[in-house]
Structure formats: structure tokens, C-alpha cells
Amino acid sequence: MEGLNGGMGTLLEEGARLLVLTGAGVSAESGLATFRDSNGLWEQHRVEDVASPEGFLRDPVLVWKFYSLRRDQAKTVAPNPGHLALAEVEKRLGDRFLLVTQNVDGLHQRAGSERVIEIHGSLFRTKCSSCDLEPYDDHATYFGTLPRCHDCERRGRKALLRPDIVWFGEMLDPRHLQAIDSFMRRDPGSPFVFIAVGTSGAVWPAAGLVNLARSLGASTLLVNAEPAENTARFHQFIQAKSAEALPALFGVSASAIR
Ligand code: BV8
């Protein structure tokens, strides 16, 4: 594991590219429950039941309550040293760095990360469930009253607004997948490191990104509190908590972390 054994220094010298994929585990130390912990915590419903188009059709009041609770909760927590270390790495690597997150909580951006692809959408964006209304920033909460699309109403149609989240059974944004693919295939001669952090490897197609990275010659590392479903796909596995492991891994001292 050339790139990482030498630490950040090696990556910087070799002009390596670094793609980091994060999951709910990276936000755990900020106080946000992961999906493995939260299943059943939300109104006794499985996440797949409320985080799906069928769930929204069946009970939009419950789904907006689920996401409104998470909007409120995400506002009360702060980025942790794991988020801040990733923002620091981006400053050092610039366009040789890409952060792909399954998280919808916005904590990476609040930590200062800018080169972020939110492949499962964002808690703090709302879109129309029917028309092509541009998703917009929305920090409001909807308990009971359901927000409706004014553009549709102007056309004489009734349509509910929904969170701009990729639900189970919905396609990921092809533009996101294209951007990830292009980054992985750029400068084929340069060293390429793929690190997954805080993810159970249970959700596809995000769980398959390590396979694409390996096929393109990447050195791959998983940093997770426990073995993941796809641990075997990684060259190296570090069992650790991300808020401790990431600053150490990237040689980001506490002083560099605001
Ligand atoms: C799609 C938004 C296809 C919701 C989310 C094969 C290929 C393609 C699809 C599938 C497939 N097999 C099955 C599918 C269907 C499905 C899927 O993957 N199902 C799973 C359950 C089997 N995939 C989809 O539906 C995807 N869509 O492929 O469409 C298609 C094709 C044609 C036409 C139409 C459609 C869409 C998936 C996106 C779903 N949306 N998020 C929301 O957030 O409200 S996924 C959701 O789950 C979150 O994004 C979350 O991130 C993710 C859970 O994964 P993790 O992030 O890994 O979180 P988890 O809790 O599981 O794990 C946390 C880990 O952290 C744990 O391992 C823990 O040990 C560790 N940890 C905890 N604390 C720490 C820590 N690690 C380090 N430090 C710590 N402190």
C-alpha cells in the first residue's frame, strides 16, 4: 500500500489522485445516528420504507416528518475531526482530490469541503415530485402541512414537493456517476488511491465503486468501525473510528483542524 504507508507526503510527491467515499459512519461522531443504528428508531419504520418513492406515495406526511426530524437534528450537530481532516486534504491536493459522499447531512461542506459529490442527494434541498423544478435550498420543516409545487399549481396541476434525496429504487444522478468515472480515469499513469470511510458497503451502486477503482489500478483502503460487507474488495482495512483515523492517516495535526 505505497501511497498510504508513506502517509500524505507520498501521495503529494507522486502527484497521486485520491478519491474518498464516505458513509453515515463519518457523521456518527458528530452525533448523527447511522442507518445501521437508526433502523427502527424512526417511527418504528425501516429506512427503506420511508426512504423510497413508494413510501412517499403511501404516506407523505410520515416521510416529510422523517426528513424534517433529520433536518432539525443535522442543524444541531457540528462537523467532527474526520470531516475537517478531509477538508484539509482537499486544500493540499486540490483537483487531485475528490470526495464522494453517501451522506445527505451537509457536514462535509460545513467542514470546508468543496469538491464534494452528494450521490444520495441532500437533506437541505427540496424538489418537485412531478415537474422538473430546479431543486432549491430548503431548511424548513414540514410536520403535517405538505408543501406543494407552485409551478405545477400555475399549470393547474397538484403536486407535492419532496426532499431532493435519492431514495431506494431511484437512479443516482448520471452526471454524478460520470464525474466520478472521469476522475477515476484521469491521468491513467499517475498513482490512484481510493479510500472508503464509515460505510457498511451495503448500499449499491456506491458499494461497487471500489471495484471500479481497483479495475483502474487504485490502491484501496477501507477505514471503518467494523468490517463492512465489501471489506474483501479492499487491499487494506483499518478498523478504527474515522474522527481519530482520518487526521492520523493524512498527517493532519489538530492545529491544522480549526
Ligand atoms: C439504484 C438516501 C437502480 C436516503 C440512500 C445493485 C445495484 C444497484 C442497486 C441495487 C443493487 N442491489 C440492491 C440495489 C437496490 C438498492 C440497494 O443498494 N439496496 C440495499 C439496501 C441492498 N440501491 C438503490 O436503490 C439505489 N438505486 O441503484 O437504482 C435502478 C435501476 C434502474 C431503474 C431505477 C433504479 C439507490 C441507493 C440510494 C438510497 N438512498 N440515502 C436517506 O439518506 O435518507 S442510502 C442510505 O444508506 C444513506 O445514503 C446511507 O449512507 C446509506 C447506508 O449506508 P452507510 O452510509 O454505509 O451507512 P450504514 O449505517 O449502513 O453504515 C455505517 C458504517 O459506519 C457501519 O459499517 C459502521 O460500522 C460504521 N461506523 C459507525 N461509526 C463509525 C463508523 N465508521 C467509522 N467511524 C465511526 N465513528
Side-chain angles (χ1 to χ4, degrees):
M1 180 54 106
E2 179 49 40
L4 289 173
N5 291 343
M8 237 354 251
T10 311
L11 284 180
L12 284 172
E13 283 150 25
E14 290 167 2
R17 283 165 296 137
L18 171 60
L19 191 154
V20 177
L21 170 69
T22 60
V26 166
S27 295
E29 285 156 284
S30 291
L32 292 182
T34 67
F35 283 76
R36 295 167 78 90
D37 312 329
S38 64
N39 269 344
L41 283 189
W42 301 97
E43 308 282 331
Q44 304 314 310
H45 290 266
R46 287 181 338 116
V47 169
E48 286 79 6
D49 293 339
V50 285
S52 71
E54 299 77 15
F56 186 68
L57 272 178
R58 191 168 45 245
D59 190 345
V61 171
L62 172 66
V63 171
W64 264 118
K65 181 177 177 185
F66 171 61
Y67 283 98
S68 295
L69 284 170
R70 290 172 67 196
R71 276 185 179 174
D72 277 345
Q73 190 193 30
K75 292 172 197 169
T76 65
V77 300
N80 64 57
H83 295 107
L84 296 168
L86 289 170
E88 182 61 28
V89 170
E90 177 182 322
K91 283 194 199 119
R92 297 181 186 176
L93 290 182
D95 70 359
R96 289 190 286 127
F97 177 83
L98 181 63
L99 176 58
V100 177
T101 187
Q102 300 172 88
N103 300 338
V104 297
D105 56 39
L107 287 174
H108 284 303
Q109 293 89 331
R110 286 175 55 195
S113 290
E114 293 176 2
R115 291 174 57 78
V116 186
I117 296 181
E118 295 175 307
I119 50 170
H120 293 162
S122 167
L123 265 183
F124 297 106
R125 270 197 313 272
T126 293
K127 69 177 185 181
C128 178
S129 60
S130 170
C131 77
D132 58 0
L133 173 78
E134 184 67 26
Y136 62 93
D137 286 348
D138 184 10
H139 289 230
T141 53
Y142 305 96
F143 293 101
T145 52
L146 295 178
R148 295 191 173 282
C149 176
H150 299 310
D151 282 20
C152 285
E153 277 176 356
R154 275 194 285 279
R155 298 187 198 117
R157 289 205 309 258
K158 279 190 176 303
L160 289 177
L161 294 174
R162 56 166 279 185
D164 184 23
I165 292 264
V166 180
W167 281 331
F168 288 95
E170 294 186 320
M171 293 283 280
L172 275 63
D173 186 333
R175 293 166 300 179
H176 289 165
L177 297 175
Q178 182 55 53
I180 294 165
D181 189 81
S182 303
F183 181 85
M184 286 201 192
R185 296 180 190 278
R186 209 176 72 186
D187 314 328
S190 70
F192 172 28
V193 178
F194 177 94
I195 302 176
V197 192
T199 178
S200 63
V203 175
W204 291 77
L209 290 177
V210 59
N211 300 330
L212 175 60
R214 279 187 75 129
S215 73
L216 294 169
S219 302
T220 57
L221 165 68
L222 172 67
V223 178
N224 208 53
E226 60 191 19
E229 292 191 17
N230 59 352
T231 303
R233 299 301 301 143
F234 291 84
H235 293 105
Q236 196 177 353
F237 168 48
I238 297 176
Q239 184 153 0
K241 293 197 164 191
S242 53
E244 293 151 25
L246 290 181
L249 184 68
F250 295 121
V252 177
S253 65
S255 58
I257 290 180
R258 287 182 269 110

